[in-house]
Amino acid sequence: MTADHEILTKPEGRYHHGDLRTALLRATETLIAEHGTGAVSLREVARIAGVSHGAPAHHFGNKDGLMLAFAQEGWDRMIEAILNAVDADRPGDGPAFLVSVGKAYVRFAITNPGQFDVMFRRDLYDLKDTGYLGAGDSAWVFLEDTIQRCIDEGFAPRDAAQSFTIIAWSMVHGLAALWNSGRVRSRFEKLDPDVLNEQMNEALTTMMFPGRPVQK
Amino acid sequence: MTADHEILTKPEGRYHHGDLRTALLRATETLIAEHGTGAVSLREVARIAGVSHGAPAHHFGNKDGLMLAFAQEGWDRMIEAILNAVDADRPGDGPAFLVSVGKAYVRFAITNPGQFDVMFRRDLYDLKDTGYLGAGDSAWVFLEDTIQRCIDEGFAPRDAAQSFTIIAWSMVHGLAALWNSGRVRSRFEKLDPDVLNEQMNEALTTMMFPGRPVQK
DNA sequence: CAGCCCATCTAGACAGTGTCTAGTTTTGCG
DNA sequence: CGCAAAACTAGACACTGTCTAGATGGGCTG
């Protein structure tokens, strides 16, 4: 119905689509957003893109491949979103940097609940796939570097890198997952998620670095 | 193959199963454990239970109903597991009580990854279902009471009930979810999950209640 | 104990799905 | 221009969820 949709539909009378892979990923995103993850089918995304029912298999191998590609795209998008947020916030010290990262993580999750969900759904595709694990690994490494910076600045014990990384990731991931599950949200109908996100990340970081000098 | 399996299979020559509802839930559990959540189908659980393909619909309405019942059973089991753990640990103060609860939460999640997953999969069934939300609510209320006890004992500010509840739940839920996703586990192949669970919950509670007197 | 209601379960049909195959169209490259 | 490979089509098949109509028998009423 939108211009986007037209671009993603195969031009009439043509045999080749042009950018079918992208079109199928966008169709997947639309389906998940409008009807949930369960509504995704190879035949439906093919229909939306205006191609035959067998076409998607050529680009993704099978349905698992489509979901995996969608998850990988999600990791790329999330890392990009975090980098942008950090750029915008210009945090002064390590803990402030961590707050910026945590807020961006949760914001990405609650603004892209469908894709975030797929990124952690190990039943949708082969977990051993190197690309999938690789994408998640870069997120881990990024987070670990953030913690390491806090350690280098004297905010945390020198041997805390791994445990603090797990703690930080667990905190923001749990908050995001619970919010998206609808269980937390249902108790804060009138609360702006961004406000909750801000408050939680500030509180969590304060707990992690109790001796931290307060930033203006 | 096991005795359990035989009990759950319809007695030969009989028309009525006896306890088909339970048999179907157990078949669901087995399928998820052995082949993942995606392997669950009404026809396959019917096959395992030795009944016709249409029988499950009578007990659960449709597939969503089966998954919802499985999720509800999960909530019941988790609350029971937490109560048992608290009984066994006999924690002295509020924070120790919280550690006991948190450890039991994570332990349930990593020993029942399939069921835990389904409990938070809002795409598998209608989120507005009162039974589903009700089960989750009792968990929230239980956790909030635990936090309230910490407040009453002077370990946390009086107005911290809600935010501390979110923080605590986010922590343990995030840890459980990340572990089950395989991303954390892949980095600690040789580490006993129970050890990580213990250490994390102690560390997290120490962060939440920094002034807490150390327990023996 | 007899009769009957209704929960339980069967069996067939139907549209929709993933995946496989063989074949058709088009692109890109020497 | 020629041609191999990539992109896509179209049909088939087994499987799925759900809907129907009907068969069975457990348990309650009288």
Side-chain angles (χ1 to χ4, degrees):
Chain A
M1 47 174 169
T2 67
D4 272 357
H5 227 111
E6 285 163 22
I7 289 171
L8 296 178
T9 307
K10 187 175 75 169
E12 205 149 342
R14 304 205 40 155
Y15 195 88
H16 282 21
H17 179 285
D19 193 5
L20 181 57
R21 198 190 137 89
T22 302
L24 295 171
L25 286 174
R26 296 289 66 77
T28 302
E29 187 169 26
T30 304
L31 276 175
I32 292 179
E34 292 178 0
H35 302 101
T37 311
V40 177
S41 78
L42 290 178
R43 295 175 109 102
E44 185 62 24
V45 295
R47 232 168 268 134
I48 293 175
V51 294
S52 76
H53 70 268
H58 183 261
H59 287 273
F60 301 107
N62 53 24
K63 188 177 180 181
D64 286 9
L66 171 65
M67 299 312 277
L68 172 58
F70 188 64
Q72 283 178 313
E73 187 192 53
W75 285 102
D76 293 340
R77 284 177 167 187
M78 187 167 78
I79 289 175
E80 190 191 348
I82 290 175
L83 291 178
N84 285 341
V86 170
D87 265 2
D89 288 353
R90 301 195 170 281
D93 59 10
F97 194 95
L98 184 63
V99 171
S100 187
V101 171
K103 278 165 56 184
Y105 186 98
V106 177
R107 178 174 294 120
F108 176 85
I110 65 184
T111 47
N112 305 277
Q115 196 155 27
F116 183 75
D117 213 40
V118 174
M119 288 160 63
F120 287 93
R121 282 273 293 275
R122 73 192 202 292
D123 60 305
L124 287 181
Y125 33 73
D126 186 2
L127 246 194
K128 293 188 299 301
D129 186 288
T130 55
Y132 166 74
L133 275 183
D137 273 358
S138 17
W140 169 277
V141 169
F142 183 82
L143 195 52
E144 205 169 35
D145 286 349
T146 304
I147 299 292
Q148 188 58 50
R149 178 172 160 189
C150 297
I151 293 174
D152 292 343
E153 293 175 5
F155 290 103
R158 191 144 292 278
D159 63 350
Q162 276 198 339
S163 63
F164 269 48
T165 302
I166 301 181
I167 289 173
W169 198 5
S170 293
M171 286 171 169
V172 291
H173 185 78
L175 179 58
L178 288 178
W179 182 269
N180 281 349
S181 80
R183 303 191 169 286
V184 170
R185 185 173 53 236
S186 67
R187 301 193 160 268
F188 299 95
E189 292 288 358
K190 295 163 189 165
L191 180 60
D192 180 3
D194 269 342
V195 174
L196 175 65
N197 185 13
E198 173 100 30
Q199 289 177 351
M200 284 299 109
N201 268 285
E202 279 290 351
L204 296 168
T205 310
T206 304
M207 285 180 185
M208 291 183 71
F209 311 107
R212 172 192 176 210
V214 180
Q215 278 210 318
K216 73 109 214 356
Chain B
M1 47 175 167
T2 67
D4 272 359
H5 228 112
E6 285 163 22
I7 290 171
L8 297 177
T9 306
K10 189 174 76 168
E12 207 150 341
R14 304 207 39 158
Y15 195 89
H16 283 17
H17 180 286
D19 194 5
L20 182 54
R21 198 190 136 90
T22 301
L24 295 172
L25 286 174
R26 294 290 65 76
T28 302
E29 188 169 25
T30 304
L31 276 175
I32 293 180
E34 292 178 0
H35 302 101
T37 312
V40 177
S41 79
L42 290 178
R43 294 174 110 102
E44 184 62 24
V45 294
R47 233 169 268 135
I48 293 175
V51 294
S52 75
H53 69 267
H58 182 262
H59 287 272
F60 301 106
N62 52 25
K63 188 177 179 180
D64 285 10
L66 171 64
M67 299 312 277
L68 173 59
F70 188 65
Q72 283 179 315
E73 187 192 52
W75 285 101
D76 293 340
R77 285 177 166 188
M78 186 166 77
I79 289 174
E80 190 192 348
I82 289 175
L83 291 178
N84 286 341
V86 169
D87 265 2
D89 288 352
R90 302 195 171 279
D93 59 10
F97 194 93
L98 185 63
V99 171
S100 186
V101 172
K103 278 165 55 185
Y105 186 98
V106 177
R107 178 173 294 120
F108 176 85
I110 66 184
T111 48
N112 305 277
Q115 197 155 24
F116 183 75
D117 213 41
V118 174
M119 288 160 63
F120 288 93
R121 282 273 292 275
R122 74 192 203 289
D123 60 306
L124 285 181
Y125 33 70
D126 186 1
L127 246 192
K128 296 189 297 298
D129 187 286
T130 56
Y132 166 74
L133 275 183
D137 274 358
S138 17
W140 170 276
V141 168
F142 183 83
L143 195 52
E144 204 169 37
D145 286 348
T146 304
I147 299 292
Q148 187 59 49
R149 178 171 160 193
C150 296
I151 293 173
D152 292 342
E153 293 175 5
F155 291 102
R158 190 144 295 279
D159 63 350
Q162 275 196 341
S163 62
F164 269 47
T165 303
I166 301 182
I167 289 173
W169 199 4
S170 294
M171 285 171 170
V172 290
H173 185 78
L175 179 59
L178 288 179
W179 183 269
N180 280 348
S181 79
R183 303 192 169 285
V184 170
R185 184 174 52 234
S186 66
R187 302 192 158 270
F188 300 95
E189 291 289 356
K190 295 162 190 166
L191 180 61
D192 180 4
D194 269 342
V195 174
L196 174 65
N197 186 13
E198 173 101 29
Q199 288 177 350
M200 285 297 110
N201 268 284
E202 280 290 352
L204 296 168
T205 311
T206 304
M207 284 180 185
M208 291 183 72
F209 311 107
R212 172 193 175 210
V214 180
Q215 279 210 318
K216 73 110 216 356

